[in-house]
Amino acid sequence: MKYDIFTIVFFLLLSVFGFSQDSLRTVLAEPGDGILSLLRKQGIDPYEVFDEFVSLNHHDLRDSVHLIAGRAYVMPHMKVDTVAIVDSLQIQAKEVKEIERESYAIFGEKYKTVIAKSERLKGTVYYLVSGHGGPDPGAMGMYAGKAIAEDEYAYDITLRLAKELMAHGAKVYIIIQDENDGIRDERVLEIDRDEVAYPDKKIPLNQLARLKQRVAIINDLYKDNKGKYQRLIVTHVDSRSENQNIDVFFYHHKHSKNGERLAESIHKTFGAKYKKYQPNRTYSGTFEDRTSLYLVKKTHPAMAYIEIGNIRNKKDQVRIVDPDNRQALAKWISEGVLLDYEEE
């Protein structure tokens, strides 16, 4: 029986993709495992399959992202970059196109590679600002007997968000940068003072001078990108009484309809995630105008200003010190951004 070249390639592809779909591999979680570490142990890039893992295992996760030791978890399928064609078949077929990827040192050696997921945000520009930095660590708390600082956790979440947006084709400007701190998976992030403002400006000690510097950088970039779809996202961690447990809040300029829609879209996404993954917990975060905030008032792009939680509250600390939670926060924000852009 004769087979043409396309029939042979079809069966080869089927053998690679199709036969492996019938059963999914499971792995037992060990004490101390998180989603990121469990996937990494299996040789899987956790940032590429995080959502799929949560969707496959949400009934066996505590608070939507925490593993339970001793429980079996379903592993997502590995993505295949290329399909090898057996030489002996002497097929003159084109190799399946390799997945597009680029490297960015700012994410750190371990996570520098950004793999393209889609072009859903192609042509868009996002400015991401993590709160404080440089001489100002921001709000402070204590965790496991060690000091933790707002700027380190806001920066880590911002890097994760930047990577998500870039994977969907967005042009991203990370306004506060630290060349020594890429994406980090530690619970206690070391505090330093070496952050700079884009591209390499020293951050002033004076608070008003710092805010003015950021406004000037963003507004200058906004002019440079005139005519493009542009949005700004600012990320902070709040500081309140130790006993005050808060949810994630979103602020916008009272006269900016686009900013209001962006904040509402991310807020709506968080509400949907809580309903799906934490049905026994009501999401109490809100979105509202907060034009009194300097960055909200003075920057030109439509923007959302996000407060992640209370760094001094033990329950809220879990949200920021757990790297799985930081990744989930970044993913949820990015999904809200996609919702906002695609519903415009």
Side-chain angles (χ1 to χ4, degrees):
M1 182 182 294
K2 290 185 177 181
Y3 295 97
D4 62 28
I5 185 172
F6 298 105
T7 303
I8 296 172
V9 171
F10 170 77
F11 281 112
L12 281 170
L13 292 175
L14 186 62
S15 68
V16 174
F17 295 112
F19 298 156
S20 61
Q21 302 295 320
D22 295 336
S23 61
L24 293 172
R25 184 165 57 95
T26 60
V27 174
L28 287 178
E30 299 177 356
D33 275 341
I35 296 176
L36 303 181
S37 60
L38 183 70
L39 291 171
R40 204 173 288 116
K41 286 178 184 178
Q42 306 307 311
I44 301 173
D45 183 343
Y47 298 104
E48 300 311 316
V49 298
F50 189 91
D51 279 354
E52 184 182 353
F53 180 92
V54 171
S55 295
L56 287 170
N57 297 285
H58 69 274
H59 291 302
D60 294 307
L61 295 172
R62 179 168 49 84
D63 294 334
S64 82
V65 291
H66 295 118
L67 304 182
I68 300 171
R71 191 158 296 183
Y73 290 93
V74 179
M75 293 293 103
H77 288 297
M78 290 286 290
K79 290 183 179 179
V80 179
D81 287 358
T82 58
V83 177
I85 305 301
V86 180
D87 291 339
S88 61
L89 292 175
Q90 297 180 352
I91 297 175
Q92 303 297 315
K94 289 183 179 180
E95 187 180 61
V96 175
K97 184 180 179 182
E98 187 174 352
I99 296 173
E100 292 182 12
R101 61 185 70 209
E102 291 189 50
S103 293
Y104 298 88
I106 195 167
F107 297 128
E109 182 62 28
K110 197 171 185 180
Y111 299 115
K112 66 182 181 181
T113 303
V114 175
I115 298 176
K117 296 180 180 178
S118 77
E119 294 187 343
R120 294 168 68 185
L121 294 175
K122 185 177 181 180
T124 65
V125 178
Y126 287 88
Y127 309 104
L128 305 186
V129 180
S130 54
H132 306 278
D136 177 22
M140 302 287 291
M142 294 295 296
Y143 176 80
K146 297 181 180 179
I148 56 175
E150 171 183 2
D151 68 326
E152 303 297 339
Y153 292 93
Y155 183 62
D156 190 74
I157 292 167
T158 295
L159 287 183
R160 294 169 189 267
L161 173 59
K163 191 170 182 181
E164 289 295 324
L165 299 182
M166 291 164 72
H168 290 292
K171 170 69 175 177
V172 177
Y173 292 91
I174 301 170
I175 304 303
I176 303 304
Q177 302 184 0
D178 187 333
E179 65 178 5
N180 302 315
D181 294 339
I183 292 173
R184 293 177 282 175
D185 290 337
E186 293 81 14
R187 297 178 76 84
V188 175
L189 300 182
E190 184 179 348
I191 301 172
D192 59 27
R193 302 286 190 273
D194 59 350
E195 292 86 7
V196 297
Y198 178 90
D200 57 2
K201 298 178 180 179
K202 183 178 179 180
I203 298 175
L205 176 61
N206 177 269
Q207 181 187 21
L208 182 57
R210 285 199 309 274
L211 295 174
K212 286 183 175 180
Q213 180 189 62
R214 292 171 197 203
V215 167
I217 292 169
I218 294 164
N219 289 347
D220 285 345
L221 288 169
Y222 183 78
K223 289 180 193 174
D224 293 342
N225 289 292
K226 184 178 180 180
K228 298 179 181 178
Y229 180 97
Q230 304 181 61
R231 294 292 184 267
L232 166 64
I233 299 174
V234 179
T235 306
H236 277 262
V237 182
D238 208 344
S239 177
R240 305 190 185 191
S241 164
E242 270 186 50
N243 297 324
Q244 192 169 359
N245 173 218
I246 63 175
D247 257 314
V248 183
F249 290 83
F250 307 95
Y251 304 129
H252 60 87
H253 194 291
K254 65 181 178 181
H255 297 309
S256 173
K257 292 299 181 184
N258 289 334
E260 180 179 1
R261 192 182 65 241
L262 174 60
E264 183 178 15
S265 294
I266 305 173
H267 174 265
K268 187 187 300 183
T269 300
F270 270 65
K273 295 295 185 182
Y274 270 65
K275 186 176 181 180
K276 181 176 181 180
Y277 297 126
Q278 302 183 44
N280 297 322
R281 181 182 172 191
T282 302
Y283 174 57
S284 60
T286 62
F287 79 96
E288 58 189 87
D289 74 82
R290 189 63 67 88
T291 311
S292 60
L293 293 170
Y294 195 89
L295 283 180
V296 176
K297 183 195 295 187
K298 298 291 187 178
T299 50
H300 294 161
M303 65 99 75
Y305 187 108
I306 305 174
E307 290 279 9
I308 296 299
N310 179 7
I311 198 170
R312 300 179 63 200
N313 179 268
K314 299 303 180 185
K315 290 183 179 179
D316 280 358
Q317 282 180 350
V318 173
R319 182 184 295 141
I320 64 169
V321 301
D322 188 328
D324 290 340
N325 280 347
R326 297 199 296 272
Q327 180 62 21
L329 285 168
K331 291 287 289 184
W332 293 6
I333 295 170
S334 71
E335 289 183 26
V337 168
L338 286 163
L339 176 66
D340 168 66
Y341 179 63
E342 295 178 340
E343 288 192 349
E344 188 191 23

PDB file of all heavy atoms in Angstrom, residues 139-164:
ATOM      1  N   ALA A 139       6.292  50.184  52.494  1.00  0.00           N
ATOM      2  CA  ALA A 139       5.747  49.597  53.717  1.00  0.00           C
ATOM      3  C   ALA A 139       6.599  48.410  54.164  1.00  0.00           C
ATOM      4  O   ALA A 139       7.117  47.668  53.341  1.00  0.00           O
ATOM      5  CB  ALA A 139       4.310  49.144  53.470  1.00  0.00           C
ATOM      6  N   MET A 140       6.715  48.253  55.467  1.00  0.00           N
ATOM      7  CA  MET A 140       7.545  47.184  56.029  1.00  0.00           C
ATOM      8  C   MET A 140       6.702  46.265  56.905  1.00  0.00           C
ATOM      9  O   MET A 140       5.714  46.685  57.509  1.00  0.00           O
ATOM     10  CB  MET A 140       8.679  47.772  56.860  1.00  0.00           C
ATOM     11  CG  MET A 140       9.606  48.714  56.110  1.00  0.00           C
ATOM     12  SD  MET A 140      10.694  47.848  54.951  1.00  0.00           S
ATOM     13  CE  MET A 140      11.762  46.964  56.105  1.00  0.00           C
ATOM     14  N   GLY A 141       7.109  45.011  56.972  1.00  0.00           N
ATOM     15  CA  GLY A 141       6.466  44.045  57.844  1.00  0.00           C
ATOM     16  C   GLY A 141       7.489  43.052  58.346  1.00  0.00           C
ATOM     17  O   GLY A 141       8.667  43.103  57.964  1.00  0.00           O
ATOM     18  N   MET A 142       7.044  42.146  59.186  1.00  0.00           N
ATOM     19  CA  MET A 142       7.911  41.082  59.687  1.00  0.00           C
ATOM     20  C   MET A 142       7.290  39.744  59.325  1.00  0.00           C
ATOM     21  O   MET A 142       6.086  39.527  59.511  1.00  0.00           O
ATOM     22  CB  MET A 142       8.072  41.181  61.202  1.00  0.00           C
ATOM     23  CG  MET A 142       8.821  42.418  61.675  1.00  0.00           C
ATOM     24  SD  MET A 142      10.564  42.459  61.136  1.00  0.00           S
ATOM     25  CE  MET A 142      11.228  41.025  62.013  1.00  0.00           C
ATOM     26  N   TYR A 143       8.103  38.839  58.789  1.00  0.00           N
ATOM     27  CA  TYR A 143       7.635  37.505  58.424  1.00  0.00           C
ATOM     28  C   TYR A 143       8.720  36.507  58.815  1.00  0.00           C
ATOM     29  O   TYR A 143       9.878  36.660  58.429  1.00  0.00           O
ATOM     30  CB  TYR A 143       7.353  37.407  56.926  1.00  0.00           C
ATOM     31  CG  TYR A 143       6.945  36.014  56.485  1.00  0.00           C
ATOM     32  CD1 TYR A 143       5.636  35.565  56.660  1.00  0.00           C
ATOM     33  CD2 TYR A 143       7.877  35.141  55.924  1.00  0.00           C
ATOM     34  CE1 TYR A 143       5.260  34.289  56.285  1.00  0.00           C
ATOM     35  CE2 TYR A 143       7.506  33.865  55.543  1.00  0.00           C
ATOM     36  CZ  TYR A 143       6.192  33.437  55.722  1.00  0.00           C
ATOM     37  OH  TYR A 143       5.838  32.166  55.352  1.00  0.00           O
ATOM     38  N   ALA A 144       8.333  35.493  59.598  1.00  0.00           N
ATOM     39  CA  ALA A 144       9.275  34.460  60.054  1.00  0.00           C
ATOM     40  C   ALA A 144      10.511  35.088  60.702  1.00  0.00           C
ATOM     41  O   ALA A 144      11.632  34.624  60.518  1.00  0.00           O
ATOM     42  CB  ALA A 144       9.680  33.555  58.894  1.00  0.00           C
ATOM     43  N   GLY A 145      10.287  36.173  61.436  1.00  0.00           N
ATOM     44  CA  GLY A 145      11.378  36.820  62.153  1.00  0.00           C
ATOM     45  C   GLY A 145      12.270  37.692  61.293  1.00  0.00           C
ATOM     46  O   GLY A 145      13.306  38.177  61.762  1.00  0.00           O
ATOM     47  N   LYS A 146      11.886  37.915  60.036  1.00  0.00           N
ATOM     48  CA  LYS A 146      12.705  38.721  59.133  1.00  0.00           C
ATOM     49  C   LYS A 146      11.899  39.891  58.572  1.00  0.00           C
ATOM     50  O   LYS A 146      10.687  39.792  58.385  1.00  0.00           O
ATOM     51  CB  LYS A 146      13.236  37.863  57.984  1.00  0.00           C
ATOM     52  CG  LYS A 146      14.160  36.736  58.435  1.00  0.00           C
ATOM     53  CD  LYS A 146      14.669  35.938  57.238  1.00  0.00           C
ATOM     54  CE  LYS A 146      15.602  34.819  57.695  1.00  0.00           C
ATOM     55  NZ  LYS A 146      16.096  34.018  56.543  1.00  0.00           N
ATOM     56  N   ALA A 147      12.595  40.981  58.300  1.00  0.00           N
ATOM     57  CA  ALA A 147      11.936  42.158  57.730  1.00  0.00           C
ATOM     58  C   ALA A 147      11.624  41.923  56.257  1.00  0.00           C
ATOM     59  O   ALA A 147      12.445  41.367  55.515  1.00  0.00           O
ATOM     60  CB  ALA A 147      12.833  43.385  57.889  1.00  0.00           C
ATOM     61  N   ILE A 148      10.443  42.321  55.839  1.00  0.00           N
ATOM     62  CA  ILE A 148      10.067  42.258  54.428  1.00  0.00           C
ATOM     63  C   ILE A 148       9.616  43.653  53.996  1.00  0.00           C
ATOM     64  O   ILE A 148       9.047  44.408  54.786  1.00  0.00           O
ATOM     65  CB  ILE A 148       8.961  41.217  54.152  1.00  0.00           C
ATOM     66  CG1 ILE A 148       7.713  41.482  54.999  1.00  0.00           C
ATOM     67  CG2 ILE A 148       9.490  39.815  54.387  1.00  0.00           C
ATOM     68  CD1 ILE A 148       6.547  40.549  54.664  1.00  0.00           C
ATOM     69  N   ALA A 149       9.876  43.998  52.733  1.00  0.00           N
ATOM     70  CA  ALA A 149       9.612  45.343  52.246  1.00  0.00           C
ATOM     71  C   ALA A 149       8.683  45.331  51.033  1.00  0.00           C
ATOM     72  O   ALA A 149       8.798  44.468  50.156  1.00  0.00           O
ATOM     73  CB  ALA A 149      10.925  46.044  51.881  1.00  0.00           C
ATOM     74  N   GLU A 150       7.815  46.312  50.989  1.00  0.00           N
ATOM     75  CA  GLU A 150       6.831  46.442  49.912  1.00  0.00           C
ATOM     76  C   GLU A 150       7.459  46.447  48.526  1.00  0.00           C
ATOM     77  O   GLU A 150       6.974  45.783  47.607  1.00  0.00           O
ATOM     78  CB  GLU A 150       6.046  47.744  50.099  1.00  0.00           C
ATOM     79  CG  GLU A 150       5.142  48.107  48.946  1.00  0.00           C
ATOM     80  CD  GLU A 150       4.443  49.437  49.134  1.00  0.00           C
ATOM     81  OE1 GLU A 150       4.694  50.109  50.157  1.00  0.00           O
ATOM     82  OE2 GLU A 150       3.648  49.803  48.248  1.00  0.00           O
ATOM     83  N   ASP A 151       8.549  47.226  48.369  1.00  0.00           N
ATOM     84  CA  ASP A 151       9.080  47.407  47.021  1.00  0.00           C
ATOM     85  C   ASP A 151       9.559  46.106  46.392  1.00  0.00           C
ATOM     86  O   ASP A 151       9.442  45.901  45.186  1.00  0.00           O
ATOM     87  CB  ASP A 151      10.188  48.466  46.996  1.00  0.00           C
ATOM     88  CG  ASP A 151      11.454  48.036  47.724  1.00  0.00           C
ATOM     89  OD1 ASP A 151      11.357  47.317  48.738  1.00  0.00           O
ATOM     90  OD2 ASP A 151      12.549  48.430  47.282  1.00  0.00           O
ATOM     91  N   GLU A 152      10.086  45.182  47.201  1.00  0.00           N
ATOM     92  CA  GLU A 152      10.603  43.925  46.658  1.00  0.00           C
ATOM     93  C   GLU A 152       9.472  43.049  46.113  1.00  0.00           C
ATOM     94  O   GLU A 152       9.604  42.425  45.054  1.00  0.00           O
ATOM     95  CB  GLU A 152      11.389  43.159  47.726  1.00  0.00           C
ATOM     96  CG  GLU A 152      12.555  43.924  48.340  1.00  0.00           C
ATOM     97  CD  GLU A 152      13.638  44.281  47.332  1.00  0.00           C
ATOM     98  OE1 GLU A 152      13.723  43.632  46.259  1.00  0.00           O
ATOM     99  OE2 GLU A 152      14.407  45.229  47.601  1.00  0.00           O
ATOM    100  N   TYR A 153       8.354  43.001  46.833  1.00  0.00           N
ATOM    101  CA  TYR A 153       7.241  42.139  46.416  1.00  0.00           C
ATOM    102  C   TYR A 153       6.439  42.777  45.273  1.00  0.00           C
ATOM    103  O   TYR A 153       6.005  42.077  44.353  1.00  0.00           O
ATOM    104  CB  TYR A 153       6.351  41.830  47.620  1.00  0.00           C
ATOM    105  CG  TYR A 153       7.082  40.949  48.607  1.00  0.00           C
ATOM    106  CD1 TYR A 153       7.797  41.500  49.657  1.00  0.00           C
ATOM    107  CD2 TYR A 153       7.110  39.565  48.450  1.00  0.00           C
ATOM    108  CE1 TYR A 153       8.521  40.704  50.537  1.00  0.00           C
ATOM    109  CE2 TYR A 153       7.819  38.758  49.321  1.00  0.00           C
ATOM    110  CZ  TYR A 153       8.526  39.332  50.368  1.00  0.00           C
ATOM    111  OH  TYR A 153       9.250  38.528  51.216  1.00  0.00           O
ATOM    112  N   ALA A 154       6.267  44.093  45.335  1.00  0.00           N
ATOM    113  CA  ALA A 154       5.597  44.769  44.223  1.00  0.00           C
ATOM    114  C   ALA A 154       6.411  44.596  42.941  1.00  0.00           C
ATOM    115  O   ALA A 154       5.850  44.395  41.854  1.00  0.00           O
ATOM    116  CB  ALA A 154       5.419  46.252  44.548  1.00  0.00           C
ATOM    117  N   TYR A 155       7.735  44.649  43.065  1.00  0.00           N
ATOM    118  CA  TYR A 155       8.603  44.496  41.897  1.00  0.00           C
ATOM    119  C   TYR A 155       8.516  43.087  41.322  1.00  0.00           C
ATOM    120  O   TYR A 155       8.429  42.894  40.110  1.00  0.00           O
ATOM    121  CB  TYR A 155      10.046  44.823  42.272  1.00  0.00           C
ATOM    122  CG  TYR A 155      11.024  44.755  41.118  1.00  0.00           C
ATOM    123  CD1 TYR A 155      10.894  45.603  40.023  1.00  0.00           C
ATOM    124  CD2 TYR A 155      12.076  43.845  41.121  1.00  0.00           C
ATOM    125  CE1 TYR A 155      11.787  45.545  38.956  1.00  0.00           C
ATOM    126  CE2 TYR A 155      12.978  43.782  40.064  1.00  0.00           C
ATOM    127  CZ  TYR A 155      12.825  44.634  38.986  1.00  0.00           C
ATOM    128  OH  TYR A 155      13.696  44.575  37.927  1.00  0.00           O
ATOM    129  N   ASP A 156       8.518  42.072  42.188  1.00  0.00           N
ATOM    130  CA  ASP A 156       8.447  40.692  41.722  1.00  0.00           C
ATOM    131  C   ASP A 156       7.142  40.428  40.977  1.00  0.00           C
ATOM    132  O   ASP A 156       7.133  39.802  39.912  1.00  0.00           O
ATOM    133  CB  ASP A 156       8.586  39.729  42.904  1.00  0.00           C
ATOM    134  CG  ASP A 156       8.753  38.284  42.457  1.00  0.00           C
ATOM    135  OD1 ASP A 156       9.846  37.934  41.972  1.00  0.00           O
ATOM    136  OD2 ASP A 156       7.783  37.508  42.567  1.00  0.00           O
ATOM    137  N   ILE A 157       6.031  40.924  41.514  1.00  0.00           N
ATOM    138  CA  ILE A 157       4.734  40.752  40.851  1.00  0.00           C
ATOM    139  C   ILE A 157       4.729  41.503  39.524  1.00  0.00           C
ATOM    140  O   ILE A 157       4.211  41.007  38.511  1.00  0.00           O
ATOM    141  CB  ILE A 157       3.593  41.243  41.767  1.00  0.00           C
ATOM    142  CG1 ILE A 157       3.471  40.307  42.987  1.00  0.00           C
ATOM    143  CG2 ILE A 157       2.262  41.288  41.008  1.00  0.00           C
ATOM    144  CD1 ILE A 157       2.594  40.864  44.092  1.00  0.00           C
ATOM    145  N   THR A 158       5.335  42.683  39.507  1.00  0.00           N
ATOM    146  CA  THR A 158       5.398  43.482  38.279  1.00  0.00           C
ATOM    147  C   THR A 158       6.192  42.767  37.192  1.00  0.00           C
ATOM    148  O   THR A 158       5.797  42.767  36.014  1.00  0.00           O
ATOM    149  CB  THR A 158       6.007  44.864  38.569  1.00  0.00           C
ATOM    150  OG1 THR A 158       5.128  45.584  39.450  1.00  0.00           O
ATOM    151  CG2 THR A 158       6.210  45.669  37.294  1.00  0.00           C
ATOM    152  N   LEU A 159       7.320  42.149  37.550  1.00  0.00           N
ATOM    153  CA  LEU A 159       8.102  41.397  36.570  1.00  0.00           C
ATOM    154  C   LEU A 159       7.281  40.241  35.999  1.00  0.00           C
ATOM    155  O   LEU A 159       7.306  39.982  34.788  1.00  0.00           O
ATOM    156  CB  LEU A 159       9.380  40.856  37.203  1.00  0.00           C
ATOM    157  CG  LEU A 159      10.491  41.852  37.514  1.00  0.00           C
ATOM    158  CD1 LEU A 159      11.716  41.105  38.068  1.00  0.00           C
ATOM    159  CD2 LEU A 159      10.899  42.667  36.297  1.00  0.00           C
ATOM    160  N   ARG A 160       6.585  39.539  36.856  1.00  0.00           N
ATOM    161  CA  ARG A 160       5.766  38.412  36.403  1.00  0.00           C
ATOM    162  C   ARG A 160       4.648  38.896  35.470  1.00  0.00           C
ATOM    163  O   ARG A 160       4.338  38.252  34.463  1.00  0.00           O
ATOM    164  CB  ARG A 160       5.176  37.673  37.610  1.00  0.00           C
ATOM    165  CG  ARG A 160       6.233  36.983  38.478  1.00  0.00           C
ATOM    166  CD  ARG A 160       5.639  36.508  39.800  1.00  0.00           C
ATOM    167  NE  ARG A 160       6.665  36.035  40.717  1.00  0.00           N
ATOM    168  CZ  ARG A 160       7.066  34.779  40.827  1.00  0.00           C
ATOM    169  NH1 ARG A 160       6.505  33.832  40.087  1.00  0.00           N
ATOM    170  NH2 ARG A 160       8.004  34.443  41.692  1.00  0.00           N
ATOM    171  N   LEU A 161       4.048  40.043  35.814  1.00  0.00           N
ATOM    172  CA  LEU A 161       3.012  40.621  34.968  1.00  0.00           C
ATOM    173  C   LEU A 161       3.595  41.039  33.619  1.00  0.00           C
ATOM    174  O   LEU A 161       2.998  40.791  32.564  1.00  0.00           O
ATOM    175  CB  LEU A 161       2.377  41.822  35.671  1.00  0.00           C
ATOM    176  CG  LEU A 161       1.385  42.647  34.848  1.00  0.00           C
ATOM    177  CD1 LEU A 161       0.216  41.791  34.372  1.00  0.00           C
ATOM    178  CD2 LEU A 161       0.886  43.840  35.653  1.00  0.00           C
ATOM    179  N   ALA A 162       4.769  41.667  33.647  1.00  0.00           N
ATOM    180  CA  ALA A 162       5.417  42.097  32.394  1.00  0.00           C
ATOM    181  C   ALA A 162       5.643  40.907  31.471  1.00  0.00           C
ATOM    182  O   ALA A 162       5.379  40.979  30.259  1.00  0.00           O
ATOM    183  CB  ALA A 162       6.753  42.777  32.708  1.00  0.00           C
ATOM    184  N   LYS A 163       6.101  39.811  32.037  1.00  0.00           N
ATOM    185  CA  LYS A 163       6.376  38.622  31.230  1.00  0.00           C
ATOM    186  C   LYS A 163       5.100  38.079  30.607  1.00  0.00           C
ATOM    187  O   LYS A 163       5.089  37.653  29.437  1.00  0.00           O
ATOM    188  CB  LYS A 163       7.057  37.559  32.089  1.00  0.00           C
ATOM    189  CG  LYS A 163       7.621  36.398  31.290  1.00  0.00           C
ATOM    190  CD  LYS A 163       8.489  35.480  32.139  1.00  0.00           C
ATOM    191  CE  LYS A 163       9.059  34.352  31.272  1.00  0.00           C
ATOM    192  NZ  LYS A 163       9.886  33.410  32.050  1.00  0.00           N
ATOM    193  N   GLU A 164       4.008  38.099  31.354  1.00  0.00           N
ATOM    194  CA  GLU A 164       2.726  37.635  30.827  1.00  0.00           C
ATOM    195  C   GLU A 164       2.261  38.517  29.666  1.00  0.00           C
ATOM    196  O   GLU A 164       1.831  38.012  28.624  1.00  0.00           O
ATOM    197  CB  GLU A 164       1.666  37.642  31.932  1.00  0.00           C
ATOM    198  CG  GLU A 164       1.844  36.568  32.987  1.00  0.00           C
ATOM    199  CD  GLU A 164       1.679  35.172  32.422  1.00  0.00           C
ATOM    200  OE1 GLU A 164       0.834  34.979  31.532  1.00  0.00           O
ATOM    201  OE2 GLU A 164       2.413  34.282  32.866  1.00  0.00           O
TER     202      GLU A 164
END
